[in-house]
Amino acid sequence: MLKVKGISVRYDIIPVLEDVSFSVQEGQFVAIVGSNGAGKSTILRTISGLVHPFQGSIDFLDEPIQAAKPYEIVAKGISHVPEGRRIFDKMTIRENLLIGAHTKDNQAEVRNTLQEMFELFPILKERQNKKGETLSGGERQQLAIARGLMAKPKLLMLDEPSLGLSPILSKKVIQACEEIRRSGTTILMVEQKVTEILKLVDQGYVLQRGKIIREGKGSELLASDTIRKAYLGL
Amino acid sequence: MQSAKQFTSIFGGVLVLFLVAPLIIRDTQFQHLMIMLLLFTTLSQAWNLIGGFAGQVSLGHAMFFGIGAYAAMAPLNQWGLTPWIGMAIGGLVAMVAAVIVGYPVFRLKGHYFVISTFAVAEVVRELFSNWDWVDGPIGLDAPLVEQGWRNFMFYHTKLPYHYTLLIFFAVVMFVAFRMERSRMGYYFRAIKQRPEAAQAMGVNITLFKQYAFIISAFFTAICGSMYGLYVLHIEPSTVLSLDISIKIVLIAVLGGIGSLWGPLLGATILISLQEYSRIWLGGTGRGIDLIVLGALIVIICVYEPNGIVGLIKRFSRKKRKA
């Protein structure tokens, strides 16, 4: 579904990603883990067209997208839930969700998706007419994910959805991700919480200083000595 | 956001006030004040579409204002062409200028965007100052032509200017009201709050900024045409000056950026200050309005960044709680 081949990205002259390659198959739950500053968010920003690689290629459903504009990429079926939630504070929850569906012209379909989101995240239904700024951290994250899902993406990219959340809320958000995956949406997630996430995913990649240093099934990575030493302190 | 019913009743009241006031108060100074009030409210509302709703603070709107003024005045002056055609041409030229200017400047963000709009407007002012066909820095005087609607010249009454501007004011207010509630309005708010998140949602932010800029430029040019035909003399240092750009922005800041009624409230204070300080103090009072306005802006920025509209909302919330 998604094939990233040898991409390198720089911010001005500072290299952030170097020769990064990985792939995501349809229906998979894939995670890229790594410490702060490893370049995880940049990978997602590059796929969604917010930054462009100076080298390498990105294919989505066998079409090159490395030079495409963000709105073209969303229209192709990739939704990006950015780091730090980034919801629209001055808009109501309902308006936030509807912005997510702006590529859809069929209003009946939009209404149905909205109902699905309200079922997945009941708190959003309760508070649909409240402004985004009134939500707590966990609710904001639920809104950000729901907003990303409103476009009915084929691939949902989540940037550290558990960042800044309490362990209980973090667990809730990750449970929601599992549910989304069960409904058939492919997920690519970047995370710092290595243990929790690697238990769930089909495939994991470890990013260190802009390079993929290891890949494998989640359980394999968790069992690896390198990972245990570097990330789990074991 | 104001409900449609609330907007219609306030809008209706304001329209009735502007319809009736110049018929009741025949004082020409007052009628002049009303005309300037309508002109600057319309201008500021046109700016509000890009600056307030979409959050792209342009300090270059004098460029569109000047284009409109020259487009109506120059063909009338040189060929005797009816200014209505000039006005339409001015609006179209301003839209094209907005596309040409918008393409590079919308790649810039924040302060860089603001400075670039100011710089482009200064370039346009220099161009007009050195253009012989429009008499360079001397500017153009309206020719002495037969008065009436064809030439849009009225020598004994201000009412036609007032009512024509009232129509433009109503159109711009209606456009702003519709835009605020439209899909485009949602996108503008999203772009203003979090441009990168809006982009990640698939909103083509450059395109929507361009739309706002084009619509805003069109109405600004129409106001420029009206201004030229009303004051009968235009020159680059008046219609293309930074003063005009800043005044348009200050009105919106004072009244409340991004609000429907902010431009009218801001213009009521600023234009009244400007006109009455000029009338009462003459040349000696030049600039006093700006000193008072400066103080007001400082107070507003410190206590209520949402302007007078924000203050009104705050007081009505307190009243409801009490």
Side-chain angles (χ1 to χ4, degrees):
Chain A
M1 182 181 226
L2 178 78
K3 283 178 196 149
V4 175
K5 283 183 237 161
I7 59 162
S8 298
V9 174
R10 286 182 192 145
Y11 287 141
D12 292 326
I13 54 161
I14 302 159
V16 184
L17 297 178
E18 270 181 71
D19 196 23
V20 169
S21 299
F22 65 93
S23 62
V24 179
Q25 306 301 322
E26 197 164 346
Q28 271 192 329
F29 188 166
V30 174
I32 298 172
V33 296
S35 55
N36 207 6
K40 303 184 299 295
S41 297
T42 304
I43 290 182
L44 299 195
R45 295 182 80 231
T46 310
I47 296 167
S48 63
L50 296 170
V51 290
H52 294 290
F54 71 90
Q55 203 173 287
S57 66
I58 306 169
D59 290 353
F60 181 64
L61 299 173
D62 298 323
E63 272 184 59
I65 57 163
Q66 69 273 7
K69 301 266 191 315
Y71 60 90
E72 293 169 336
I73 290 169
V74 174
K76 283 180 194 296
I78 299 180
S79 252
H80 178 189
V81 178
E83 186 187 6
R85 277 75 89 173
R86 307 222 178 138
I87 61 163
F88 303 114
D89 286 336
K90 302 289 176 198
M91 290 185 182
T92 64
I93 283 132
R94 197 183 175 85
E95 286 171 346
N96 263 279
L97 291 169
L98 291 176
I99 282 271
H102 86 97
T103 49
K104 303 286 167 197
D105 289 326
N106 184 341
Q107 289 309 302
E109 190 193 344
V110 171
R111 277 194 297 276
N112 283 342
T113 317
L114 193 64
Q115 286 315 312
E116 284 170 29
M117 291 309 109
F118 287 153
E119 278 164 32
L120 187 60
F121 302 110
I123 189 74
L124 300 182
K125 187 178 184 180
E126 263 174 51
R127 311 194 63 177
Q128 57 178 302
N129 295 318
K130 299 275 180 210
K131 292 257 172 82
E133 63 192 359
T134 63
L135 298 183
S136 68
E139 290 163 353
R140 280 165 172 260
Q141 188 60 67
Q142 293 177 40
L143 175 59
I145 296 172
R147 188 181 62 182
L149 285 169
M150 283 297 292
K152 286 261 170 195
K154 294 176 183 120
L155 172 67
L156 178 69
M157 301 198 297
L158 300 164
D159 194 346
E160 300 208 36
S162 69
L163 186 74
L165 299 184
S166 68
I168 297 170
L169 283 175
S170 171
K171 205 174 168 187
K172 258 189 175 178
V173 166
I174 289 174
Q175 273 171 357
C177 294
E178 281 184 86
E179 213 167 304
I180 293 161
R181 184 263 190 102
R182 273 199 297 274
S183 71
T185 307
T186 310
I187 297 180
L188 171 63
M189 183 191 282
V190 301
E191 253 299 345
Q192 274 193 68
K193 289 184 179 162
V194 177
T195 331
E196 291 89 333
I197 210 68
L198 286 182
K199 279 180 193 163
L200 297 172
V201 298
D202 300 306
Q203 182 76 8
Y205 294 88
V206 181
L207 191 71
Q208 198 176 60
R209 290 185 200 148
K211 288 179 184 168
I212 301 263
I213 55 158
R214 224 185 148 98
E215 63 176 277
K217 289 200 165 86
S219 50
E220 285 170 12
L221 290 177
L222 267 179
S224 124
D225 280 345
T226 329
I227 304 299
R228 288 162 67 87
K229 272 182 196 159
Y231 294 96
L232 308 177
L234 300 172
Chain B
M1 202 186 288
Q2 210 169 31
S3 72
K5 206 176 165 186
Q6 271 178 323
F7 173 79
T8 313
S9 49
I10 299 174
F11 191 37
V14 170
L15 284 183
V16 169
L17 193 72
F18 275 110
L19 272 170
V20 173
L23 297 175
I24 296 171
I25 305 170
R26 293 290 188 158
D27 174 36
T28 51
Q29 281 176 351
F30 177 77
Q31 289 184 347
H32 170 73
L33 173 74
M34 297 290 271
I35 287 171
M36 294 315 260
L37 188 54
L38 282 172
L39 180 82
F40 277 95
T41 303
T42 312
L43 268 175
S44 188
Q45 189 65 278
W47 179 87
N48 208 21
L49 300 176
I50 176 81
F53 293 172
Q56 309 300 305
V57 176
S58 155
L59 271 187
H61 264 49
M63 151 176 61
F64 306 124
F65 187 76
I67 286 172
Y70 274 96
M73 192 70 98
L76 175 70
N77 194 295
Q78 307 282 2
W79 308 317
L81 186 74
T82 172
W84 295 106
I85 295 177
M87 199 183 280
I89 292 170
L92 291 175
V93 171
M95 286 164 89
V96 173
V99 173
I100 296 167
V101 172
Y103 185 74
V105 299
F106 283 129
R107 288 162 186 262
L108 304 170
K109 287 176 189 165
H111 304 99
Y112 297 105
F113 171 79
V114 179
I115 292 165
S116 67
T117 55
F118 159 65
V120 174
E122 283 299 292
V123 169
V124 173
R125 187 173 65 84
E126 281 303 315
L127 284 174
F128 274 85
S129 297
N130 290 286
W131 192 7
D132 291 339
W133 190 65
V134 293
D135 283 348
I138 299 160
L140 295 172
D141 285 309
L144 199 60
V145 287
E146 194 184 332
Q147 70 167 345
W149 286 98
R150 186 201 170 274
N151 291 324
F152 200 63
M153 290 286 165
F154 303 92
Y155 304 126
H156 306 296
T157 174
K158 289 180 187 294
L159 292 183
Y161 299 105
H162 177 94
Y163 289 115
T164 310
L165 270 167
L166 184 58
I167 292 169
F168 289 134
F169 161 75
V171 170
V172 172
M173 285 300 292
F174 183 71
V175 167
F177 171 72
R178 295 291 301 172
M179 199 178 254
E180 199 187 27
R181 274 153 182 76
S182 66
R183 259 189 174 203
M184 205 189 273
Y186 285 130
Y187 301 153
F188 288 162
R189 282 155 66 202
I191 292 167
K192 183 180 177 179
Q193 287 176 44
R194 293 193 186 276
E196 192 168 301
Q199 252 185 318
M201 293 298 101
V203 177
N204 185 348
I205 65 170
T206 312
L207 184 73
F208 283 106
K209 285 179 194 174
Q210 273 287 11
Y211 284 156
F213 204 39
I214 291 168
I215 299 168
S216 177
F218 175 78
F219 286 119
T220 307
I222 296 290
C223 288
S225 299
M226 288 297 300
Y227 177 80
L229 295 166
Y230 175 63
V231 300
L232 305 175
H233 173 79
I234 55 168
E235 58 186 60
S237 64
T238 54
V239 294
L240 285 158
S241 70
L242 180 63
D243 283 7
I244 290 279
S245 297
I246 288 181
K247 201 181 281 180
I248 296 169
V249 179
L250 285 184
I251 289 170
V253 171
L254 184 63
I257 284 188
S259 71
L260 273 178
W261 297 106
L264 179 61
L265 293 169
T268 306
I269 293 176
L270 192 145
I271 300 301
S272 305
L273 255 172
Q274 173 191 293
E275 291 303 316
Y276 280 109
S277 67
R278 187 177 58 81
I279 292 164
W280 290 332
L281 303 168
T284 51
R286 194 180 161 87
I288 284 191
D289 57 326
L290 292 178
I291 295 172
V292 177
L293 183 77
L296 280 176
I297 297 278
V298 170
I299 294 167
I300 286 285
C301 289
V302 171
Y303 293 104
E304 183 48 75
N306 294 322
I308 299 167
V309 169
L311 274 179
I312 294 170
K313 278 185 187 164
R314 195 196 285 183
F315 282 126
S316 56
R317 266 199 302 270
K318 269 188 187 170
K319 216 176 162 186
R320 269 203 302 272
K321 275 182 191 168

